[in-house]
Amino acid sequence: MTSATVLGPAESDEGDAGRAELSRLIFDGTYEDVHADIRALLLDPAFDARDGLSLPEAGRLAYERSRFVHGRLERPLEILKNPRRLFALAEWPSLLDVSTFSLLMVHYNLCLGTVAEHGGDREDLKDHLEELDSLESFGPYMATELGYGNNVAALRTEAVYDRHTETFVINTPDPLAQKYMSYSGFQDVPKVAVVLARLKADGKDHGVYPFVVRISDAGGLCEGIHAAPCPEKPVQGLDNGLTWFDHVRVPRRNLLLGDRGEFTPEGAFKPGAGNQRKRFLKAMSRIQPGRLCVSSAAVGAGRASVYIALRYAARRLTNAPGRNDMPVIEYRSHQLSLFTQLAKVYAMTFLLNHAKRAYLREAGEISAELGVLIALTKALTTWEMTETVAVCRERCGAQGIFSANRIADYGSLLQGLVTAEGDNQVLLATTAGQLLARPAAETAGATRAERGPHGLLDVRLLVEILGERERSLHEEGRARMSDDSGRTYFEAWNSTMNSALAMARTRAVRVALESFEAAVGEAHEPSVRVALRELALLYALTEVRRDAGWYLAQGALTADEVRALPDLLDEVCTRVLPYTSLLIDGFRLSPELLRAPIAADDYVSAFQSLTGGGK
């Protein structure tokens, strides 16, 4: 095994400085203050593997681990005041238990976050806030309905106001209106949910509002609440279910009204300013930080996957013509697969850091521009990390199949993240429509990017080429939408949608690459700067190659440049290889933390210890 392929810790002051510098960039200078203590929790025996559990037993364990995490950190309401802590909480626990991540995020961000944001200053809600803040009860979030999965604004659950008793009667009018996927299967776990329902008063439909509803206590489901478990999911044993309401009466105070309406002294409901759509979006405000939480978990899983796969690749022996016992990472094909994914992990890390900073600058007020950035970040990170996890699992061979080696479990996590907080395809289509409504695409680069002395090895040139594609697709989309040929709006949009999706994705990639370039510029250590520059180039070349036919047809690339792309990618991989150990050490992961046998220095002994067999 050559020194270049040994992915253990480097014994040098320069190596330590490089890892510290990478950690600073990866965690945006917040590792010690924001991440370190959450990471430390994962080393506790509470997160040790439990063999032989059924899926329901694994789900129960996730509730135990959620209580463990809650008991060792500041209260959830304090975490909500510091969004970086919330994002870190999304990132770490999923590395060892994907179900614990789901429980924590729904409870902290969606349920408690909604109650705090829309009723945290109300004395009459303090008991609910304390119950959720202390984790005396878990907090599901019941928005999605069986028949309206991607159109929550059209949900059918009703909350009819009775002004004589000052109560709401919450009811499920038909099977399509059953709440779908929220946690109601473990009926003996006390739960207080946020339920989105259509507020009706004095015969008028005022749109969708959130309500606090007690779902269960230690004795089971509360009166009028019914639930049935969803089918089992691979890996995740959580108690997802169908939930429906049979005329459940809740007091008026349980309406999380915020500034979206009021009751007159006579008891009549008066909606707030704006239309139903605007009031609905305010009611769903926690979805925006939720998308950043989802992206944090996705990128964390991507980092862990490439960490495990690259450590294993440096120790997994194979043969080659004229050679025996050669690490598989020496093969250029293996390098291209895994280094491409490593580049994507870094690109998505810096894109996510950019989106987090933008969210923090606006102090929770989501402008149209920030909403677009968050949506693009959520869609691209979860799609890209889905591919990263799949490639890493495959490159680990049969070892990648075992849950003990983590990567297969991350695949299950990413499948859920792609559809969480807005299904990616629908979310990106909505965002593409918003971008097409603008008069001109805001892109980098001129109409024709000028070649410098380095040609396609210049990342800035590749940013400009991506900008050309984004702008061209934007102009094409606007022209199609404005074509006055007697088509309906839907027909015009339907004929434009796929190119609009490509435009939106290209924009996300371009922003990710610009964020990557900015991180390279912030690096002080020479080895880090060189390593990141090569990874940024690898990511950019990969993306340009993805649509090489389009660039060739548009004249943005020459035929010779297109033919040269495979060799250029191989060339960059050879330059990344010596920095591989440094690049993954910056993730702050370790074999002891992940407990994945194939990540261990002696993976054979680690795997034998797991099986209890072998010599």
Side-chain angles (χ1 to χ4, degrees), residues 173-193:
D174 56 63
L176 291 180
Q178 294 173 98
K179 294 299 182 182
Y180 170 59
M181 288 297 287
S182 48
Y183 305 128
S184 59
F186 296 156
Q187 298 176 5
D188 58 333
V189 177
K191 292 172 183 172
V192 173

mmCIF file with all atom_site columns, all heavy atoms in Angstrom, residues 173-193:
data_model
loop_
_atom_site.group_PDB
_atom_site.id
_atom_site.type_symbol
_atom_site.label_atom_id
_atom_site.label_alt_id
_atom_site.label_comp_id
_atom_site.label_asym_id
_atom_site.label_entity_id
_atom_site.label_seq_id
_atom_site.pdbx_PDB_ins_code
_atom_site.Cartn_x
_atom_site.Cartn_y
_atom_site.Cartn_z
_atom_site.occupancy
_atom_site.B_iso_or_equiv
_atom_site.pdbx_formal_charge
_atom_site.auth_seq_id
_atom_site.auth_comp_id
_atom_site.auth_asym_id
_atom_site.auth_atom_id
_atom_site.pdbx_PDB_model_num
ATOM 1   N N   . PRO A 1 173 ? -63.458 14.802 7.182  1.00 0.00 ? 173 PRO A N   1
ATOM 2   C CA  . PRO A 1 173 ? -64.718 14.622 6.457  1.00 0.00 ? 173 PRO A CA  1
ATOM 3   C C   . PRO A 1 173 ? -64.767 13.408 5.548  1.00 0.00 ? 173 PRO A C   1
ATOM 4   O O   . PRO A 1 173 ? -65.850 12.912 5.230  1.00 0.00 ? 173 PRO A O   1
ATOM 5   C CB  . PRO A 1 173 ? -64.837 15.910 5.641  1.00 0.00 ? 173 PRO A CB  1
ATOM 6   C CG  . PRO A 1 173 ? -63.438 16.356 5.440  1.00 0.00 ? 173 PRO A CG  1
ATOM 7   C CD  . PRO A 1 173 ? -62.701 15.962 6.683  1.00 0.00 ? 173 PRO A CD  1
ATOM 8   N N   . ASP A 1 174 ? -63.614 12.911 5.097  1.00 0.00 ? 174 ASP A N   1
ATOM 9   C CA  . ASP A 1 174 ? -63.618 11.773 4.175  1.00 0.00 ? 174 ASP A CA  1
ATOM 10  C C   . ASP A 1 174 ? -62.245 11.106 4.224  1.00 0.00 ? 174 ASP A C   1
ATOM 11  O O   . ASP A 1 174 ? -61.284 11.662 4.766  1.00 0.00 ? 174 ASP A O   1
ATOM 12  C CB  . ASP A 1 174 ? -63.966 12.226 2.752  1.00 0.00 ? 174 ASP A CB  1
ATOM 13  C CG  . ASP A 1 174 ? -63.031 13.308 2.246  1.00 0.00 ? 174 ASP A CG  1
ATOM 14  O OD1 . ASP A 1 174 ? -61.820 13.038 2.122  1.00 0.00 ? 174 ASP A OD1 1
ATOM 15  O OD2 . ASP A 1 174 ? -63.505 14.426 1.983  1.00 0.00 ? 174 ASP A OD2 1
ATOM 16  N N   . PRO A 1 175 ? -62.099 9.898  3.663  1.00 0.00 ? 175 PRO A N   1
ATOM 17  C CA  . PRO A 1 175 ? -60.817 9.175  3.752  1.00 0.00 ? 175 PRO A CA  1
ATOM 18  C C   . PRO A 1 175 ? -59.630 9.929  3.167  1.00 0.00 ? 175 PRO A C   1
ATOM 19  O O   . PRO A 1 175 ? -58.505 9.809  3.671  1.00 0.00 ? 175 PRO A O   1
ATOM 20  C CB  . PRO A 1 175 ? -61.099 7.885  2.979  1.00 0.00 ? 175 PRO A CB  1
ATOM 21  C CG  . PRO A 1 175 ? -62.568 7.668  3.118  1.00 0.00 ? 175 PRO A CG  1
ATOM 22  C CD  . PRO A 1 175 ? -63.159 9.045  3.098  1.00 0.00 ? 175 PRO A CD  1
ATOM 23  N N   . LEU A 1 176 ? -59.843 10.713 2.104  1.00 0.00 ? 176 LEU A N   1
ATOM 24  C CA  . LEU A 1 176 ? -58.724 11.444 1.514  1.00 0.00 ? 176 LEU A CA  1
ATOM 25  C C   . LEU A 1 176 ? -58.151 12.481 2.464  1.00 0.00 ? 176 LEU A C   1
ATOM 26  O O   . LEU A 1 176 ? -57.011 12.918 2.303  1.00 0.00 ? 176 LEU A O   1
ATOM 27  C CB  . LEU A 1 176 ? -59.176 12.135 0.223  1.00 0.00 ? 176 LEU A CB  1
ATOM 28  C CG  . LEU A 1 176 ? -59.507 11.226 -0.962 1.00 0.00 ? 176 LEU A CG  1
ATOM 29  C CD1 . LEU A 1 176 ? -59.947 12.063 -2.155 1.00 0.00 ? 176 LEU A CD1 1
ATOM 30  C CD2 . LEU A 1 176 ? -58.315 10.362 -1.335 1.00 0.00 ? 176 LEU A CD2 1
ATOM 31  N N   . ALA A 1 177 ? -58.929 12.885 3.470  1.00 0.00 ? 177 ALA A N   1
ATOM 32  C CA  . ALA A 1 177 ? -58.489 13.922 4.408  1.00 0.00 ? 177 ALA A CA  1
ATOM 33  C C   . ALA A 1 177 ? -57.763 13.353 5.623  1.00 0.00 ? 177 ALA A C   1
ATOM 34  O O   . ALA A 1 177 ? -57.405 14.100 6.534  1.00 0.00 ? 177 ALA A O   1
ATOM 35  C CB  . ALA A 1 177 ? -59.693 14.748 4.864  1.00 0.00 ? 177 ALA A CB  1
ATOM 36  N N   . GLN A 1 178 ? -57.523 12.049 5.666  1.00 0.00 ? 178 GLN A N   1
ATOM 37  C CA  . GLN A 1 178 ? -56.782 11.482 6.793  1.00 0.00 ? 178 GLN A CA  1
ATOM 38  C C   . GLN A 1 178 ? -55.347 12.019 6.804  1.00 0.00 ? 178 GLN A C   1
ATOM 39  O O   . GLN A 1 178 ? -54.691 12.096 5.762  1.00 0.00 ? 178 GLN A O   1
ATOM 40  C CB  . GLN A 1 178 ? -56.747 9.957  6.679  1.00 0.00 ? 178 GLN A CB  1
ATOM 41  C CG  . GLN A 1 178 ? -58.112 9.308  6.815  1.00 0.00 ? 178 GLN A CG  1
ATOM 42  C CD  . GLN A 1 178 ? -58.051 7.814  6.522  1.00 0.00 ? 178 GLN A CD  1
ATOM 43  O OE1 . GLN A 1 178 ? -57.986 6.997  7.421  1.00 0.00 ? 178 GLN A OE1 1
ATOM 44  N NE2 . GLN A 1 178 ? -58.057 7.462  5.247  1.00 0.00 ? 178 GLN A NE2 1
ATOM 45  N N   . LYS A 1 179 ? -54.882 12.373 7.989  1.00 0.00 ? 179 LYS A N   1
ATOM 46  C CA  . LYS A 1 179 ? -53.500 12.833 8.121  1.00 0.00 ? 179 LYS A CA  1
ATOM 47  C C   . LYS A 1 179 ? -52.570 11.644 7.885  1.00 0.00 ? 179 LYS A C   1
ATOM 48  O O   . LYS A 1 179 ? -52.779 10.550 8.402  1.00 0.00 ? 179 LYS A O   1
ATOM 49  C CB  . LYS A 1 179 ? -53.263 13.441 9.508  1.00 0.00 ? 179 LYS A CB  1
ATOM 50  C CG  . LYS A 1 179 ? -54.043 14.725 9.748  1.00 0.00 ? 179 LYS A CG  1
ATOM 51  C CD  . LYS A 1 179 ? -53.665 15.827 8.772  1.00 0.00 ? 179 LYS A CD  1
ATOM 52  C CE  . LYS A 1 179 ? -54.407 17.128 9.047  1.00 0.00 ? 179 LYS A CE  1
ATOM 53  N NZ  . LYS A 1 179 ? -54.070 18.169 8.064  1.00 0.00 ? 179 LYS A NZ  1
ATOM 54  N N   . TYR A 1 180 ? -51.522 11.904 7.109  1.00 0.00 ? 180 TYR A N   1
ATOM 55  C CA  . TYR A 1 180 ? -50.707 10.834 6.537  1.00 0.00 ? 180 TYR A CA  1
ATOM 56  C C   . TYR A 1 180 ? -49.250 10.966 6.964  1.00 0.00 ? 180 TYR A C   1
ATOM 57  O O   . TYR A 1 180 ? -48.679 12.060 6.873  1.00 0.00 ? 180 TYR A O   1
ATOM 58  C CB  . TYR A 1 180 ? -50.841 10.916 5.013  1.00 0.00 ? 180 TYR A CB  1
ATOM 59  C CG  . TYR A 1 180 ? -49.919 10.059 4.199  1.00 0.00 ? 180 TYR A CG  1
ATOM 60  C CD1 . TYR A 1 180 ? -49.897 8.674  4.339  1.00 0.00 ? 180 TYR A CD1 1
ATOM 61  C CD2 . TYR A 1 180 ? -49.083 10.643 3.251  1.00 0.00 ? 180 TYR A CD2 1
ATOM 62  C CE1 . TYR A 1 180 ? -49.059 7.903  3.557  1.00 0.00 ? 180 TYR A CE1 1
ATOM 63  C CE2 . TYR A 1 180 ? -48.251 9.873  2.463  1.00 0.00 ? 180 TYR A CE2 1
ATOM 64  C CZ  . TYR A 1 180 ? -48.237 8.506  2.621  1.00 0.00 ? 180 TYR A CZ  1
ATOM 65  O OH  . TYR A 1 180 ? -47.408 7.733  1.846  1.00 0.00 ? 180 TYR A OH  1
ATOM 66  N N   . MET A 1 181 ? -48.679 9.895  7.476  1.00 0.00 ? 181 MET A N   1
ATOM 67  C CA  . MET A 1 181 ? -47.265 9.740  7.802  1.00 0.00 ? 181 MET A CA  1
ATOM 68  C C   . MET A 1 181 ? -46.849 10.322 9.151  1.00 0.00 ? 181 MET A C   1
ATOM 69  O O   . MET A 1 181 ? -45.744 10.050 9.615  1.00 0.00 ? 181 MET A O   1
ATOM 70  C CB  . MET A 1 181 ? -46.364 10.347 6.718  1.00 0.00 ? 181 MET A CB  1
ATOM 71  C CG  . MET A 1 181 ? -46.337 9.555  5.426  1.00 0.00 ? 181 MET A CG  1
ATOM 72  S SD  . MET A 1 181 ? -45.652 7.885  5.609  1.00 0.00 ? 181 MET A SD  1
ATOM 73  C CE  . MET A 1 181 ? -43.913 8.245  5.825  1.00 0.00 ? 181 MET A CE  1
ATOM 74  N N   . SER A 1 182 ? -47.684 11.103 9.815  1.00 0.00 ? 182 SER A N   1
ATOM 75  C CA  . SER A 1 182 ? -47.271 11.642 11.109 1.00 0.00 ? 182 SER A CA  1
ATOM 76  C C   . SER A 1 182 ? -47.276 10.530 12.151 1.00 0.00 ? 182 SER A C   1
ATOM 77  O O   . SER A 1 182 ? -47.860 9.469  11.969 1.00 0.00 ? 182 SER A O   1
ATOM 78  C CB  . SER A 1 182 ? -48.182 12.800 11.520 1.00 0.00 ? 182 SER A CB  1
ATOM 79  O OG  . SER A 1 182 ? -49.528 12.448 11.353 1.00 0.00 ? 182 SER A OG  1
ATOM 80  N N   . TYR A 1 183 ? -46.625 10.804 13.289 1.00 0.00 ? 183 TYR A N   1
ATOM 81  C CA  . TYR A 1 183 ? -46.332 9.752  14.262 1.00 0.00 ? 183 TYR A CA  1
ATOM 82  C C   . TYR A 1 183 ? -47.510 9.538  15.211 1.00 0.00 ? 183 TYR A C   1
ATOM 83  O O   . TYR A 1 183 ? -47.707 10.285 16.165 1.00 0.00 ? 183 TYR A O   1
ATOM 84  C CB  . TYR A 1 183 ? -45.071 10.103 15.050 1.00 0.00 ? 183 TYR A CB  1
ATOM 85  C CG  . TYR A 1 183 ? -43.896 10.372 14.138 1.00 0.00 ? 183 TYR A CG  1
ATOM 86  C CD1 . TYR A 1 183 ? -43.144 11.535 14.255 1.00 0.00 ? 183 TYR A CD1 1
ATOM 87  C CD2 . TYR A 1 183 ? -43.558 9.472  13.132 1.00 0.00 ? 183 TYR A CD2 1
ATOM 88  C CE1 . TYR A 1 183 ? -42.084 11.791 13.407 1.00 0.00 ? 183 TYR A CE1 1
ATOM 89  C CE2 . TYR A 1 183 ? -42.502 9.710  12.280 1.00 0.00 ? 183 TYR A CE2 1
ATOM 90  C CZ  . TYR A 1 183 ? -41.765 10.872 12.418 1.00 0.00 ? 183 TYR A CZ  1
ATOM 91  O OH  . TYR A 1 183 ? -40.721 11.118 11.563 1.00 0.00 ? 183 TYR A OH  1
ATOM 92  N N   . SER A 1 184 ? -48.292 8.500  14.931 1.00 0.00 ? 184 SER A N   1
ATOM 93  C CA  . SER A 1 184 ? -49.450 8.187  15.773 1.00 0.00 ? 184 SER A CA  1
ATOM 94  C C   . SER A 1 184 ? -49.578 6.699  16.037 1.00 0.00 ? 184 SER A C   1
ATOM 95  O O   . SER A 1 184 ? -50.560 6.249  16.605 1.00 0.00 ? 184 SER A O   1
ATOM 96  C CB  . SER A 1 184 ? -50.734 8.696  15.096 1.00 0.00 ? 184 SER A CB  1
ATOM 97  O OG  . SER A 1 184 ? -50.900 8.103  13.814 1.00 0.00 ? 184 SER A OG  1
ATOM 98  N N   . GLY A 1 185 ? -48.562 5.903  15.619 1.00 0.00 ? 185 GLY A N   1
ATOM 99  C CA  . GLY A 1 185 ? -48.668 4.451  15.734 1.00 0.00 ? 185 GLY A CA  1
ATOM 100 C C   . GLY A 1 185 ? -48.449 3.924  17.133 1.00 0.00 ? 185 GLY A C   1
ATOM 101 O O   . GLY A 1 185 ? -49.138 3.003  17.571 1.00 0.00 ? 185 GLY A O   1
ATOM 102 N N   . PHE A 1 186 ? -47.473 4.490  17.878 1.00 0.00 ? 186 PHE A N   1
ATOM 103 C CA  . PHE A 1 186 ? -47.248 4.075  19.261 1.00 0.00 ? 186 PHE A CA  1
ATOM 104 C C   . PHE A 1 186 ? -48.239 4.837  20.134 1.00 0.00 ? 186 PHE A C   1
ATOM 105 O O   . PHE A 1 186 ? -47.985 5.959  20.569 1.00 0.00 ? 186 PHE A O   1
ATOM 106 C CB  . PHE A 1 186 ? -45.809 4.364  19.690 1.00 0.00 ? 186 PHE A CB  1
ATOM 107 C CG  . PHE A 1 186 ? -44.772 3.584  18.930 1.00 0.00 ? 186 PHE A CG  1
ATOM 108 C CD1 . PHE A 1 186 ? -43.476 4.054  18.819 1.00 0.00 ? 186 PHE A CD1 1
ATOM 109 C CD2 . PHE A 1 186 ? -45.081 2.374  18.325 1.00 0.00 ? 186 PHE A CD2 1
ATOM 110 C CE1 . PHE A 1 186 ? -42.512 3.342  18.126 1.00 0.00 ? 186 PHE A CE1 1
ATOM 111 C CE2 . PHE A 1 186 ? -44.122 1.645  17.622 1.00 0.00 ? 186 PHE A CE2 1
ATOM 112 C CZ  . PHE A 1 186 ? -42.837 2.140  17.520 1.00 0.00 ? 186 PHE A CZ  1
ATOM 113 N N   . GLN A 1 187 ? -49.362 4.211  20.405 1.00 0.00 ? 187 GLN A N   1
ATOM 114 C CA  . GLN A 1 187 ? -50.480 4.944  20.982 1.00 0.00 ? 187 GLN A CA  1
ATOM 115 C C   . GLN A 1 187 ? -50.357 5.187  22.474 1.00 0.00 ? 187 GLN A C   1
ATOM 116 O O   . GLN A 1 187 ? -51.132 5.935  23.052 1.00 0.00 ? 187 GLN A O   1
ATOM 117 C CB  . GLN A 1 187 ? -51.781 4.209  20.646 1.00 0.00 ? 187 GLN A CB  1
ATOM 118 C CG  . GLN A 1 187 ? -52.011 4.139  19.138 1.00 0.00 ? 187 GLN A CG  1
ATOM 119 C CD  . GLN A 1 187 ? -53.231 3.348  18.746 1.00 0.00 ? 187 GLN A CD  1
ATOM 120 O OE1 . GLN A 1 187 ? -54.004 2.890  19.599 1.00 0.00 ? 187 GLN A OE1 1
ATOM 121 N NE2 . GLN A 1 187 ? -53.427 3.156  17.441 1.00 0.00 ? 187 GLN A NE2 1
ATOM 122 N N   . ASP A 1 188 ? -49.352 4.558  23.109 1.00 0.00 ? 188 ASP A N   1
ATOM 123 C CA  . ASP A 1 188 ? -49.133 4.773  24.542 1.00 0.00 ? 188 ASP A CA  1
ATOM 124 C C   . ASP A 1 188 ? -48.085 5.854  24.813 1.00 0.00 ? 188 ASP A C   1
ATOM 125 O O   . ASP A 1 188 ? -47.775 6.142  25.973 1.00 0.00 ? 188 ASP A O   1
ATOM 126 C CB  . ASP A 1 188 ? -48.714 3.472  25.208 1.00 0.00 ? 188 ASP A CB  1
ATOM 127 C CG  . ASP A 1 188 ? -47.441 2.889  24.593 1.00 0.00 ? 188 ASP A CG  1
ATOM 128 O OD1 . ASP A 1 188 ? -47.181 3.151  23.405 1.00 0.00 ? 188 ASP A OD1 1
ATOM 129 O OD2 . ASP A 1 188 ? -46.723 2.166  25.302 1.00 0.00 ? 188 ASP A OD2 1
ATOM 130 N N   . VAL A 1 189 ? -47.526 6.441  23.756 1.00 0.00 ? 189 VAL A N   1
ATOM 131 C CA  . VAL A 1 189 ? -46.565 7.533  23.925 1.00 0.00 ? 189 VAL A CA  1
ATOM 132 C C   . VAL A 1 189 ? -47.335 8.848  23.962 1.00 0.00 ? 189 VAL A C   1
ATOM 133 O O   . VAL A 1 189 ? -48.047 9.174  23.007 1.00 0.00 ? 189 VAL A O   1
ATOM 134 C CB  . VAL A 1 189 ? -45.539 7.546  22.772 1.00 0.00 ? 189 VAL A CB  1
ATOM 135 C CG1 . VAL A 1 189 ? -44.593 8.738  22.915 1.00 0.00 ? 189 VAL A CG1 1
ATOM 136 C CG2 . VAL A 1 189 ? -44.753 6.242  22.731 1.00 0.00 ? 189 VAL A CG2 1
ATOM 137 N N   . PRO A 1 190 ? -47.239 9.622  25.049 1.00 0.00 ? 190 PRO A N   1
ATOM 138 C CA  . PRO A 1 190 ? -47.972 10.897 25.109 1.00 0.00 ? 190 PRO A CA  1
ATOM 139 C C   . PRO A 1 190 ? -47.542 11.835 23.983 1.00 0.00 ? 190 PRO A C   1
ATOM 140 O O   . PRO A 1 190 ? -46.347 12.045 23.755 1.00 0.00 ? 190 PRO A O   1
ATOM 141 C CB  . PRO A 1 190 ? -47.589 11.458 26.483 1.00 0.00 ? 190 PRO A CB  1
ATOM 142 C CG  . PRO A 1 190 ? -47.192 10.262 27.286 1.00 0.00 ? 190 PRO A CG  1
ATOM 143 C CD  . PRO A 1 190 ? -46.534 9.329  26.314 1.00 0.00 ? 190 PRO A CD  1
ATOM 144 N N   . LYS A 1 191 ? -48.541 12.401 23.292 1.00 0.00 ? 191 LYS A N   1
ATOM 145 C CA  . LYS A 1 191 ? -48.247 13.261 22.150 1.00 0.00 ? 191 LYS A CA  1
ATOM 146 C C   . LYS A 1 191 ? -49.223 14.427 22.102 1.00 0.00 ? 191 LYS A C   1
ATOM 147 O O   . LYS A 1 191 ? -50.430 14.250 22.296 1.00 0.00 ? 191 LYS A O   1
ATOM 148 C CB  . LYS A 1 191 ? -48.325 12.468 20.838 1.00 0.00 ? 191 LYS A CB  1
ATOM 149 C CG  . LYS A 1 191 ? -47.219 11.424 20.711 1.00 0.00 ? 191 LYS A CG  1
ATOM 150 C CD  . LYS A 1 191 ? -47.422 10.537 19.508 1.00 0.00 ? 191 LYS A CD  1
ATOM 151 C CE  . LYS A 1 191 ? -46.325 9.477  19.480 1.00 0.00 ? 191 LYS A CE  1
ATOM 152 N NZ  . LYS A 1 191 ? -46.569 8.462  18.451 1.00 0.00 ? 191 LYS A NZ  1
ATOM 153 N N   . VAL A 1 192 ? -48.670 15.604 21.832 1.00 0.00 ? 192 VAL A N   1
ATOM 154 C CA  . VAL A 1 192 ? -49.450 16.807 21.600 1.00 0.00 ? 192 VAL A CA  1
ATOM 155 C C   . VAL A 1 192 ? -49.038 17.328 20.235 1.00 0.00 ? 192 VAL A C   1
ATOM 156 O O   . VAL A 1 192 ? -47.883 17.724 20.038 1.00 0.00 ? 192 VAL A O   1
ATOM 157 C CB  . VAL A 1 192 ? -49.204 17.875 22.683 1.00 0.00 ? 192 VAL A CB  1
ATOM 158 C CG1 . VAL A 1 192 ? -49.894 19.178 22.320 1.00 0.00 ? 192 VAL A CG1 1
ATOM 159 C CG2 . VAL A 1 192 ? -49.692 17.372 24.035 1.00 0.00 ? 192 VAL A CG2 1
ATOM 160 N N   . ALA A 1 193 ? -49.952 17.322 19.279 1.00 0.00 ? 193 ALA A N   1
ATOM 161 C CA  . ALA A 1 193 ? -49.608 17.610 17.890 1.00 0.00 ? 193 ALA A CA  1
ATOM 162 C C   . ALA A 1 193 ? -50.021 19.014 17.480 1.00 0.00 ? 193 ALA A C   1
ATOM 163 O O   . ALA A 1 193 ? -50.940 19.605 18.052 1.00 0.00 ? 193 ALA A O   1
ATOM 164 C CB  . ALA A 1 193 ? -50.286 16.596 16.966 1.00 0.00 ? 193 ALA A CB  1
#
